[in-house]
Amino acid sequence: MNVNFDDLRIFTQTVLHGGISAAAKANDMQRSKVSRRLQTLEEQLGCELLIRTTRTIELTESGKHLYELVAQQFYHIEQSLIAVKESKQDFSGVIRIAIPSALMTSQIFKSIITEYSSSFPNVRIEIENHQESIDLKRQGFDLQVLPDAVSVTDDSYVQFSLIHYYSHLVASPNYLRSHPPCESVNDLKAHRVFTNRFNADLLDDDIPIQLKTDDLNLMHYLALKSQGIAFLPQTHSKKSIESGELVQVLPHTQFPRLSLTLIYPSAKALSKKTRAFIDLFREKLNSSD
């Protein structure tokens, strides 16, 4: 049986509005077209659904049975379509994100932005580099991502950990061959060490830091070029270790765990576009573990 579902909808509209003329007006259609669609539906089903009079309609037993079966389903479908439309309208405007440069240049953040931009092309994305906690409300940001070592300026803001990570020491095989052995943390004093501001405090104060930078890519690059030992998040140097371009220094030494924290002003006032970004952020970071 080949029944047109739009004809079924017209049938339910005719019953709902109490007549063909009223259904035509409500759906911005000609009365004759509604009447033809109802007639086609009856022919397809092989039974009479409506008894037409000059001003009203009366349902046959088959018509009553059909209406009971489909009316509620069409109502739920139409309500769902309205909800989808309203939700899409909310995915517009601007979302402003404050993020440290270490994460901004990472591959995972690039993939998050790419996917979000593709899913919600009507949302304009503004990303700024901020290493310290900012006043999100005053400065007009929707959310901020920071390492947990940074104190948040407003305790009323919502905060939760996105991901935990460890840092490790890495260097190129060429660098290690041409420099003194490094078999303990104390031996780092004889080497050029690169850190970022967030993990520098995990090393002893008496270890000289040759370079401290928020640019993890720069640290990684210098390590690849045999310029020293870089103290990097494990996920950042994973591929280079797998390829053999870098090796772990002091592989049996585990440094304290750090976390990334997501901060936003209020869960109640969270827009759908911001919620969608948060959900995607969490999903991507969790899948990268």
Side-chain angles (χ1 to χ4, degrees):
M1 183 185 300
N2 187 17
V3 174
N4 188 317
F5 278 87
D6 199 37
D7 291 347
L8 278 174
R9 190 187 71 82
I10 291 297
F11 166 70
T12 62
Q13 286 286 297
T14 302
V15 177
L16 183 65
H17 291 286
I20 294 174
S21 297
K25 184 177 180 180
N27 289 272
D28 196 22
M29 295 172 64
Q30 293 181 350
R31 186 187 187 283
S32 58
K33 188 171 183 179
V34 172
S35 184
R36 283 197 303 272
R37 298 282 283 274
L38 291 171
Q39 186 177 350
T40 300
L41 179 62
E42 288 176 326
E43 290 171 356
Q44 289 170 337
L45 293 174
C47 61
E48 189 179 29
L49 300 173
L50 302 168
I51 301 172
R52 300 159 177 81
T53 63
T54 350
R55 297 184 178 178
T56 61
I57 56 162
E58 185 179 336
L59 289 171
T60 65
E61 286 302 315
S62 296
K64 289 178 183 177
H65 184 56
L66 179 63
Y67 185 75
E68 289 170 0
L69 288 174
V70 302
Q72 193 155 3
Q73 282 80 355
F74 271 107
Y75 172 78
H76 288 312
I77 290 171
E78 287 177 347
Q79 291 303 305
S80 298
L81 291 174
I82 290 169
V84 168
K85 185 177 180 181
E86 290 176 349
S87 131
K88 283 294 180 185
Q89 288 172 345
D90 193 60
F91 289 109
S92 60
V94 183
I95 182 169
R96 301 190 71 220
I97 306 159
I99 200 162
S101 58
L103 184 59
M104 187 184 293
T105 57
S106 68
Q107 190 58 44
I108 192 165
F109 186 67
K110 292 174 185 175
S111 71
I112 290 169
I113 295 300
T114 300
E115 185 168 332
Y116 185 87
S117 182
S118 298
S119 300
F120 311 109
N122 294 327
V123 178
R124 290 185 288 116
I125 308 169
E126 294 183 4
I127 305 166
E128 287 190 13
N129 174 13
H130 288 273
Q131 309 298 122
E132 304 296 341
S133 177
I134 60 174
D135 188 332
L136 297 175
K137 293 179 182 176
R138 186 181 296 274
Q139 295 178 245
F141 282 89
D142 294 288
L143 54 91
Q144 182 173 24
V145 179
L146 283 174
D148 61 351
V150 180
S151 298
V152 178
T153 56
D154 192 330
D155 290 337
S156 70
Y157 288 168
V158 179
Q159 306 171 47
F160 64 82
S161 293
L162 282 171
I163 190 173
H164 304 296
Y165 66 95
Y166 290 93
S167 296
H168 62 177
L169 297 157
V170 294
S172 71
N174 287 338
Y175 175 85
L176 295 176
R177 279 193 295 266
S178 59
H179 288 78
C182 189
E183 298 174 351
S184 70
V185 173
N186 193 56
D187 291 337
L188 289 171
K189 296 175 184 178
H191 293 270
R192 294 160 56 89
V193 178
F194 314 137
T195 69
N196 65 70
R197 75 166 76 189
F198 304 120
N199 66 13
D201 291 341
L202 302 181
L203 298 175
D204 294 340
D205 293 337
D206 57 351
I207 295 174
I209 305 300
Q210 177 70 26
L211 171 71
K212 183 189 290 187
T213 175
D214 293 326
D215 190 343
L216 300 186
N217 289 332
L218 176 59
M219 292 168 56
H220 188 204
Y221 176 80
L222 291 173
L224 289 171
K225 293 298 180 180
S226 303
Q227 295 301 302
I229 298 175
F231 195 26
L232 289 167
Q234 291 179 353
T235 53
H236 198 86
S237 47
K238 182 179 178 182
K239 288 185 179 179
S240 294
I241 289 176
E242 289 173 350
S243 68
E245 295 176 283
L246 295 177
V247 296
Q248 289 191 63
V249 179
L250 305 178
H252 301 299
T253 301
Q254 187 174 79
F255 296 94
R257 186 181 70 176
L258 297 174
S259 300
L260 283 179
T261 301
L262 182 63
I263 307 138
Y264 50 89
S266 167
K268 291 181 180 178
L270 206 59
S271 68
K272 291 178 182 176
K273 61 177 177 282
T274 305
R275 170 61 65 191
F277 188 90
I278 291 171
D279 290 344
L280 179 60
F281 212 123
R282 298 179 73 176
E283 176 192 334
K284 287 286 187 181
L285 287 177
N286 289 334
S287 65
S288 70
D289 288 351

